[in-house]
Amino acid sequence: MDQLKPHDIALPTRPKGSTITQWLYDELRRAILEGRLRRGAALPPTRRLAQDYVISRRIVVNVFNRLRDEGYLETRAGSGARVSASLPEDYTPPRPPKPAARPSLPTRPARIRPFRPVEPALAEFPIETWARLTARITKSLGLAHLAAGSPAGEPALREAIAAHLGASRGVACHPAQIVIVSGAQQGLDLLARALLRPGDKVWMEDPGYIEAAEIFRRAGAAIVPVPVDADGLDFAAGLKACPRPRAVYLTPAHQFPTGVTLALPRRLEILNWARRHNVAIFEDDYDSEFRFSGRPLPAMKGLPGADQVCLVGTFNKALFPALRLGYLALPDQWLDPLLRLRSLVERHPAVLPQQVLAAFIDQGQFATHLRRMRRLYADRLQALRQEIGHHLEGVLELPEIEAGLNIPARLLNGMSSTEAAESAANHDVEVWPLDRFSLSRRRHPALLLGFAAFDRRAIRRGAAALAQALR
Ligand SMILES: Cc1ncc(COP(=O)(O)O)c(C=O)c1O
């Protein structure tokens, strides 16, 4: 192929700020890539190009050499430079196709707004200790641990939990009666599927934990709402509504969402009746660790005659929600059906996090963390009382509570709880309307306010914003 005439590669004028070398390199490379200098075409001799553009020949030689080194030109002794038959771009991998647009996944809100009700103080969790334990235990796991776990959970963790329940919840149970689950939610689901039959009636506290009701419904059960008063579930009202349910769901330590404690005479009455009529009791003990005042009441499972009670416990509030570990303390007669179901759907829970948690409990770090959190949460509740008193006197009324991460505030301004929560959201405050937890037509003019996750400043700002929303 003939050598190109200089005008065949007419180069645009050099822009200001560019060196001659850079300009010549950029323009020749661009001409090659755009096909104006075709593959195999001979370039003019360096001397002629230098003359035509009135530049130093040395610069042209340097640029040709660089383009040759990069694979854009081929030079052969005596025949000048030609555009390479194959260009470096031929070898670059094709760009991956743009991923098809997908619906975005729900994620946790980046910022937790006051007064999100079920949030623990995550910033206070001793993550360094947890990380050290995780590293140590990962290294110490033998091949047997890598092969499989037990359907009921790791023996080390079940022993640690049985000891914890004995000491702090007054529950005498054997590690063999403990089944590790991913949290209260999974515990309730396994119980419902193993024990309930379509059409079975289940008493639920009203207002109550609607996500438990949803699980029982999905197992085919019919929900019987039973009102809650200052002493907890109204047993007499329950008997009137449905005298022979198959099961009763209770949050006796700290009723969700009203915060009341199920009174001892009612506990005994319910246990006695459940035993006589073979009624299963699901005791959801979800946040009883956070009792900061008053006498610690043992779990119902710890009372005499509690052979119909399954205690459902969780570490997801006491430690951190993403942990996903909890437990069931089961009556012997329910162990078999429950473990058969568990093996079928999941084999066993993941081994490593259970081993880490067992060490965390055994070494006393769990107890230390709980002690610290009890003090912190008591202080934060006190701060909330002061700020609500200051900003919302006559609008919100806080009851006395002795445990938990949240408090139901009574609305005194005539708003419904849903209206109030919507108005709060418009002022960047998250509160949950108690009407959301109503299982009947009963209305509850109250808002659930969390305090555990917020320091004094956040509480002050939240209370001021809430005052604007509710006044
Ligand atoms: C009353 C009650 N029980 C159980 C749970 C769920 O616990 P987990 O996260 O362990 O499944 C919650 C969560 O907020 C709750 O409020």
Side-chain angles (χ1 to χ4, degrees):
M1 190 180 290
D2 282 346
Q3 279 184 351
L4 292 160
K5 304 281 182 308
H7 64 258
D8 289 333
I9 47 164
L11 301 176
T13 345
R14 177 162 62 97
K16 274 199 186 119
S18 175
T19 63
I20 298 172
T21 305
Q22 191 63 46
W23 160 77
L24 185 62
Y25 169 84
D26 286 345
E27 292 305 335
L28 287 175
R29 181 169 172 271
R30 196 193 323 272
I32 293 169
L33 289 176
E34 290 175 0
R36 285 179 283 128
L37 284 174
R38 282 174 293 121
R39 296 172 191 229
L43 271 80
T46 51
R47 187 187 310 274
R48 218 171 72 202
L49 202 61
Q51 281 169 357
D52 286 343
Y53 285 96
V54 200
I55 54 179
S56 138
R57 184 170 170 231
R58 172 122 306 275
I59 290 179
V60 181
V61 169
N62 286 346
V63 168
F64 272 36
N65 286 345
R66 180 174 167 198
L67 288 167
R68 181 203 58 209
D69 293 346
E70 291 177 353
Y72 294 99
L73 298 182
E74 291 163 356
T75 51
R76 244 167 282 148
S79 70
R82 287 177 182 274
V83 177
S84 298
S86 48
L87 300 177
E89 276 67 9
D90 298 344
Y91 303 104
T92 51
R95 284 190 184 197
K98 270 198 177 168
R102 291 193 198 177
S104 58
L105 294 170
T107 52
R108 280 176 65 83
R111 191 172 62 86
I112 297 161
R113 296 176 302 172
F115 296 101
R116 190 184 172 84
V118 291
E119 203 72 23
L122 296 180
E124 302 297 323
F125 182 71
I127 195 75
E128 294 293 333
T129 307
W130 189 265
R132 266 199 311 278
L133 280 177
T134 304
R136 206 193 73 209
I137 284 164
T138 307
K139 282 186 209 145
S140 74
L141 288 185
L143 290 184
H145 284 114
L146 300 186
S150 150
E154 290 300 290
L157 181 57
R158 290 154 69 205
E159 278 167 29
I161 290 170
H164 165 70
L165 286 179
S168 72
R169 305 298 294 126
V171 177
C173 67
H174 192 273
Q177 294 167 316
I178 305 286
V179 173
I180 307 300
V181 288
S182 69
Q185 212 61 23
Q186 190 192 29
L188 293 168
D189 182 48
L190 289 175
L191 285 172
R193 286 198 279 155
L195 301 177
L196 301 180
R197 298 282 159 268
D200 280 353
K201 304 276 197 300
V202 178
W203 283 12
M204 286 286 308
E205 298 161 331
D206 181 28
Y209 185 45
I210 45 177
E211 294 197 305
E214 183 61 23
I215 281 178
F216 302 141
R217 279 198 199 101
R218 282 173 188 239
I223 301 300
V224 180
V226 179
V228 169
D229 63 22
D231 284 336
L233 179 112
D234 183 342
F235 181 50
L239 286 179
K240 220 148 103 197
C242 167
R244 296 281 180 276
R246 170 70 188 101
V248 178
Y249 169 86
L250 291 169
T251 48
H254 183 234
Q255 202 271 332
F256 185 89
T258 65
V260 298
T261 303
L262 185 62
L264 186 60
R266 283 212 187 149
R267 293 179 182 221
L268 296 172
E269 241 178 337
I270 292 171
L271 286 178
N272 192 12
W273 161 81
R275 215 180 38 218
R276 275 189 287 122
H277 300 291
N278 194 29
V279 178
I281 299 204
F282 304 148
E283 178 178 17
D284 184 349
D285 205 36
Y286 69 108
D287 71 351
S288 63
E289 283 93 357
F290 301 118
R291 171 162 292 276
F292 24 76
S293 62
R295 197 164 52 88
L297 266 181
M300 271 178 94
K301 176 86 184 150
L303 292 172
D307 2 324
Q308 295 291 115
V309 180
C310 175
L311 183 76
V312 183
T314 179
F315 292 100
N316 302 323
K317 302 253 180 288
L319 299 181
F320 54 97
L323 174 64
R324 303 314 300 158
L325 277 175
Y327 54 87
L328 300 175
L330 285 162
D332 289 337
Q333 68 273 21
W334 300 355
L335 270 167
D336 259 7
L338 199 116
L339 286 177
R340 253 186 285 130
L341 177 64
R342 141 61 68 70
S343 299
L344 189 66
V345 297
E346 197 191 11
R347 307 287 181 237
H348 61 80
V351 170
L352 178 62
Q354 294 183 74
Q355 291 283 351
V356 176
L357 179 55
F360 192 78
I361 298 174
D362 285 343
Q363 297 180 6
Q365 275 120 358
F366 180 55
T368 306
H369 181 60
L370 287 186
R371 266 198 307 277
R372 277 189 62 229
M373 291 307 99
R374 276 190 208 113
R375 276 199 299 271
L376 181 74
Y377 295 172
D379 287 349
R380 290 182 170 182
L381 174 59
Q382 180 61 16
L384 180 68
R385 282 192 191 287
Q386 285 169 358
E387 296 299 333
I388 295 288
H390 179 62
H391 291 281
L392 284 147
E393 169 101 71
V395 178
L396 277 186
E397 185 180 70
L398 298 184
E400 287 304 318
I401 59 160
E402 296 180 338
L405 309 174
N406 50 50
I407 185 164
R410 232 161 64 82
L411 271 165
L412 307 176
N413 65 353
M415 275 180 160
S416 77
S417 68
T418 309
E419 280 167 351
E422 275 168 13
S423 178
N426 291 334
H427 287 78
D428 205 25
V429 174
E430 180 174 350
V431 291
W432 292 356
L434 251 66
D435 284 349
R436 184 189 290 176
F437 305 102
S438 182
L439 294 162
S440 58
R441 283 166 199 277
R442 269 185 288 269
R443 300 289 108 203
H444 305 277
L447 299 173
L448 200 60
L449 272 58
F451 49 82
F454 309 105
D455 63 17
R456 176 121 214 172
R457 259 186 47 203
I459 288 174
R460 185 176 306 134
R461 263 188 282 123
L466 192 56
Q468 290 195 337
L470 301 186
R471 282 210 182 270

